[in-house]
Amino acid sequence: MIRSIMVIIINYKVCDQGRGCPCIAACPNDAWYWDEKNQRPAVNNSKCNDCGICTKVCPARVISGALDEEGVRKIKDEVDADDRKRELLFKERFNVEPEDQSIVVDASTFEDEVLKSKDIVIVDFWTPKFSARCKNNTMMYSSLLAKTNKKVVFKKVDILMNKDFCKKIGITTIPALVIYHKGKIIDYIATKIGLAEEDQIKERIAKALNSI
Ligand code: SF4
Ligand code: SF4
């Protein structure tokens, strides 16, 4: 028998499954939690009191609330019929391409690929565990260079997979974009990296690159 209060259903087919899911923080009853086993946000419906906040907080609108069994069935049918794929929605949601693994470096390759590189290297310290945007190439890298004609290579380092190494080189928070040239740090941009910040970050990067 379904309770008369809301039952929350997450469409995992298109949920970004980020550890930083804002619904976890927004739920006033701690019904949302991070499911370690399945590595995704989840809801304990027995704690839900039908406030509806999470359905509004999720920017991707993948959460539905049902008030009765018929509603639950209807939502489950809709989820089953949904043939969209999360990866394909990244571009639509964030105007970025899905992550390209070839640019990911770690503690063992950092020296060769970043510090010893003859090119200017911009390293995006991130982790795919936190949020959908982190799973992407975030802002379009090529667009970051709009105000300079310098040749630049982009790399990414997952801070959770390289915790000790990142601590050693002074990276303790993300997001952080660090510009390296011949083993030296030219600029360290520790800021939110979203489309709203794009112009500001482009200016900063152009200034740093043009100083080389
Ligand atoms: S905010 Fe993101 S992680 Fe949370 S339910 Fe919505 S799509 Fe999933
Ligand atoms: S409807 Fe309200 S109480 Fe229920 S899971 Fe969402 S935020 Fe929490």
Side-chain angles (χ1 to χ4, degrees):
M1 190 70 180
I2 300 296
R3 297 167 298 127
S4 59
I5 59 173
M6 188 175 276
V7 174
I8 295 295
I9 297 170
I10 305 168
N11 181 350
Y12 286 118
K13 286 181 173 175
V14 288
C15 166
D16 297 319
Q17 301 186 20
R19 194 179 277 268
C21 170
C23 301
I24 297 174
C27 176
N29 296 321
D30 292 333
W32 278 78
Y33 63 98
W34 177 252
D35 177 352
E36 282 293 344
K37 186 171 165 226
N38 295 303
Q39 290 291 297
R40 63 191 190 186
V43 179
N44 176 350
N45 272 301
S46 68
K47 289 187 172 180
C48 172
N49 74 346
D50 191 11
C51 76
I53 289 174
C54 58
T55 59
K56 298 185 184 78
V57 165
C58 169
R61 300 281 185 264
V62 305
I63 303 162
S64 307
L67 295 174
D68 52 29
E69 285 186 43
E70 197 191 327
V72 171
R73 214 170 14 249
K74 192 163 165 260
I75 292 166
K76 287 191 170 163
D77 285 349
E78 283 168 8
V79 169
D80 286 346
D82 189 348
D83 58 4
R84 295 174 300 165
K85 287 199 169 52
R86 186 185 321 130
E87 295 75 16
L88 298 178
L89 293 177
F90 277 157
K91 177 87 180 167
E92 191 180 302
R93 285 183 197 153
F94 302 115
N95 196 24
V96 293
E97 297 293 346
E99 183 188 328
D100 174 359
Q101 283 296 325
S102 70
I103 66 169
V104 178
V105 293
D106 61 20
S108 67
T109 53
F110 190 84
E111 183 164 351
D112 282 345
E113 298 208 34
V114 178
L115 298 181
K116 288 186 178 167
S117 173
K118 291 190 184 93
D119 298 312
I120 301 166
V121 187
I122 298 183
V123 183
D124 179 4
F125 290 88
W126 106 125
T127 178
K129 296 281 184 198
F130 281 178
S131 70
R133 187 171 293 287
C134 280
K135 289 180 179 174
N136 297 288
N137 275 341
T138 57
M139 287 162 43
M140 292 67 68
Y141 286 146
S142 54
S143 82
L144 291 176
L145 306 180
K147 294 172 191 278
T148 179
N149 54 10
K150 297 275 163 100
K151 181 175 179 289
V152 170
V153 173
F154 285 101
K155 298 288 177 189
K156 286 167 80 93
V157 175
D158 181 340
I159 61 154
L160 284 188
M161 297 296 287
N162 299 276
K163 268 188 194 160
D164 291 343
F165 172 72
C166 287
K167 206 170 158 193
K168 196 170 132 198
I169 62 171
I171 307 293
T172 51
T173 57
I174 56 170
L177 278 180
V178 184
I179 304 175
Y180 291 89
H181 185 227
K182 295 184 177 168
K184 289 193 179 135
I185 292 177
I186 305 301
D187 200 1
Y188 181 127
I189 306 170
T191 181
K192 193 174 156 212
I193 304 170
L195 296 179
E197 294 77 25
E198 189 165 354
D199 281 344
Q200 180 196 335
I201 294 174
K202 274 182 193 168
E203 288 289 345
R204 176 96 177 251
I205 288 178
K207 199 171 165 202
L209 296 184
N210 293 334
S211 73
I212 296 171

